[in-house]
Amino acid sequence: MSREMQQLQETVQRNCHIADASHAGDYTLCIYLMKMREFFRWEAGETYSASLDNKQVGSWLREREALWDSLQTEHFNPMQIGDAQYDPFESGPINEELRDTGLVYSGGLGVNNKPHFFLARLERRDQYNGYSLYVADKELARDLTSPPAMAQGNNIYIRRESLKRMLWEKLESWNWNQPDNAMGKALAYYDFKSDVDRALEAMTDNELETILLHEIGEIRAGERLGQKWEELLITLPYTRAELMLRAVRDHLADAISTLPALLEKENEPSLHFYFGNLTHMRKHLSPSLMDAYRHWQETDNRGRLEELADRNEAHWSQLTDEILKIEPDPERQYVTAIQDLIENNRL
C-alpha cells in the first residue's frame, strides 16, 4: 500500500474512533463486551477458532476506552486523496477516486443516526438490476458496530468480513443455551464442530445473497416512502414509535425483495437464518409470519409462507401510506397516534 493510501487508512480509522467515542455506549453491557472482544480479534488478526487471552483483551479494552474519552469533542477529519479533499460522507466521489486502487470506502449514517465508516480491499464491483454493488473483503479500517451492509442511493456496500463476524456473534450467542429455534436450524447446515473457520466461510458465502436482497428492498422501500419518512424518524429518537417504524420499514423491504426471492430459490438455510434474525418487534408486528414459519416446520409445507409473501407487500405498503398521513404536532400526540395505528394493523 502506498504512503498516501496508508494515510487514508489512518484517517478513516480515526473517524471510526470518533464515531465510537459517541456511540459505543449505546449497547447493553453484555453486547458491548462481546463486540469489543471481536473488535480486538479483528485488530489482532486472530482467526475465529483462536482462543483470546482475557488479560490482553482487558488491557486493550481499557486503552481503547481511554482513546475514546480523548476524542469526545473531536470532529470528523476530511478525506485527502491526491490534490482533492472530501467530506467523509461523500462515498460516491471518494470511490471514483479509489477506482484503480483496489479499495472501497463507505461513510454513512445507520440506526439512531450513528455514523459508520470503513475502508477495505474491494473483492468485486458489479451492476445488479440497476444498482452498483460493492463487495468488500479484508477491512483496513472499521468502527465497533460495522454493519455488514449499507445502501446509499443506488449504491450497495456488502462487507464480507463484517458479515462473517456477525455470523460468528450469532453462533456465540446461540451456543450459550443452544435453543431449538430458527437460528439453530440455520447453523445446523454447517459443520461448526469440525472446522469453525471453514463453516463460517461457507455460511458467509450463502448469506451474502440474503443481505443483498434486503438492501435492494431497503432502497426500493426508501423510494416509496420518500424524505418525509426519514424526517418523521428523526423526531422520534429512542422511542417505541421509532422501533415500530423501523420494523414496519424492514417488513416492507423484505416483502418487496427478500422473502419472495428466498422462497423462489428454496434456500432453506437462508430461510431459517431470515427468521432467526427477526427482531422481537418485527415478530410482534407480524404474528402470522411466525405462524407460517412454524407451520412449515411442523408440516414441511411452505404453502402458508408463500401465501403470506403474496400479500405482505400490499399490507405494509398501505400501512406506511397511512402512517405518512399523520402530521407531527407540538403536543406530540402524533407519537401515540403512530403507535396505535401500527398496533392495530399487525399482520
Side-chain angles (χ1 to χ4, degrees):
M1 187 184 296
S2 69
R3 179 57 190 158
E4 181 185 20
M5 291 300 103
Q6 287 178 346
Q7 290 175 338
L8 182 68
Q9 178 183 357
E10 292 167 5
T11 299
V12 177
Q13 189 59 63
R14 184 169 180 82
N15 284 341
C16 290
H17 289 325
I18 293 171
D20 286 335
S22 298
H23 293 274
D26 294 350
Y27 297 105
T28 62
L29 180 60
C30 182
I31 298 298
Y32 171 75
L33 291 175
M34 180 175 69
K35 286 192 170 294
M36 289 298 280
R37 281 181 62 83
E38 296 316 311
F39 205 177
F40 172 86
R41 187 191 301 276
W42 171 75
E43 285 198 359
E46 296 284 0
T47 64
Y48 289 100
S49 56
S51 297
L52 301 181
D53 184 284
N54 289 334
K55 199 172 196 179
Q56 285 185 331
V57 174
S59 176
W60 172 88
L61 191 151
R62 289 189 293 273
E63 292 174 2
R64 182 51 45 87
E65 290 179 337
L67 172 63
W68 289 343
D69 286 342
S70 71
L71 296 174
Q72 288 286 348
T73 60
E74 292 290 318
H75 298 290
F76 296 125
N77 296 296
M79 308 279 287
Q80 186 75 39
I81 306 176
D83 296 328
Q85 195 173 83
Y86 297 94
D87 182 280
F89 293 100
E90 292 184 284
S91 299
I94 291 172
N95 278 312
E96 286 304 311
E97 290 281 358
L98 295 177
R99 179 180 283 272
D100 297 326
T101 66
L103 301 176
V104 60
Y105 169 82
S106 175
L109 299 176
V111 177
N112 296 327
N113 288 319
K114 181 192 185 302
H116 296 293
F117 307 102
F118 83 89
L119 181 71
R121 300 197 183 282
L122 180 64
E123 178 181 301
R124 70 179 191 271
R125 176 179 177 174
D126 295 320
Q127 292 297 311
Y128 190 97
N129 291 342
Y131 303 101
S132 294
L133 169 65
Y134 298 84
V135 178
D137 193 6
K138 180 176 175 56
E139 296 182 1
L140 306 175
R142 50 155 285 205
D143 56 45
L144 177 63
T145 305
S146 296
M150 181 171 283
Q152 298 171 352
N154 280 346
N155 296 318
I156 301 174
Y157 301 92
I158 307 292
R159 301 168 61 176
R160 175 183 289 275
E161 233 181 47
S162 289
L163 174 58
K164 188 185 296 184
R165 184 179 56 260
M166 184 192 79
L167 297 176
W168 168 254
E169 291 174 358
K170 297 291 184 184
L171 174 64
E172 288 275 89
S173 297
W174 182 82
N175 272 332
W176 290 341
N177 297 308
Q178 297 191 355
D180 181 17
N181 58 12
M183 185 57 67
K185 288 179 171 59
L187 295 169
Y189 282 85
Y190 307 93
D191 189 9
F192 284 103
K193 290 183 179 179
S194 298
D195 192 330
V196 169
D197 295 315
R198 181 173 295 181
L200 269 176
E201 193 68 34
M203 192 172 187
T204 301
D205 287 340
N206 193 44
E207 296 309 329
L208 275 171
E209 178 71 11
T210 305
I211 298 294
L212 174 60
L213 289 169
H214 179 76
E215 292 305 313
I216 289 174
E218 282 281 356
I219 290 175
R220 292 179 178 169
E223 291 170 347
R224 292 190 190 183
L225 299 176
Q227 187 60 30
K228 187 175 180 180
W229 185 273
E230 298 304 317
E231 292 170 354
L232 181 61
L233 270 176
I234 291 173
T235 71
L236 301 167
Y238 305 104
T239 62
R240 179 174 174 80
E242 183 201 12
L243 292 176
M244 297 176 88
L245 284 179
R246 292 191 181 281
V248 167
R249 176 178 171 140
D250 279 340
H251 274 308
L252 176 60
D254 285 339
I256 292 171
S257 176
T258 316
L259 191 54
L262 292 180
L263 288 168
E264 182 181 352
K265 294 172 185 276
E266 299 185 352
N267 189 332
E268 291 195 0
S270 289
L271 270 173
H272 289 299
F273 184 72
Y274 171 79
F275 283 94
N277 271 309
L278 291 178
T279 64
H280 292 300
M281 180 60 76
R282 291 190 66 183
K283 291 176 183 177
H284 173 71
L285 296 185
S286 189
S288 60
L289 189 60
M290 298 312 300
D291 287 343
Y293 174 75
R294 283 189 289 269
H295 183 262
W296 170 39
Q297 293 309 289
E298 292 167 359
T299 66
D300 197 29
N301 186 325
R302 289 195 297 270
R304 285 192 189 178
L305 276 174
E306 292 166 354
E307 184 274 331
L308 187 61
D310 289 339
R311 58 190 177 93
N312 240 356
E313 185 177 347
H315 173 86
W316 298 113
S317 184
Q318 182 177 349
L319 178 56
T320 55
D321 288 344
E322 293 299 315
I323 291 169
L324 288 171
K325 292 177 184 177
I326 299 175
E327 295 293 338
D329 61 280
E331 293 77 25
R332 294 184 66 81
Q333 294 180 357
Y334 74 101
V335 178
T336 301
I338 288 173
Q339 292 178 180
D340 290 345
L341 176 62
I342 296 174
E343 190 66 38
N344 291 330
N345 284 276
R346 296 193 299 155
L347 178 60

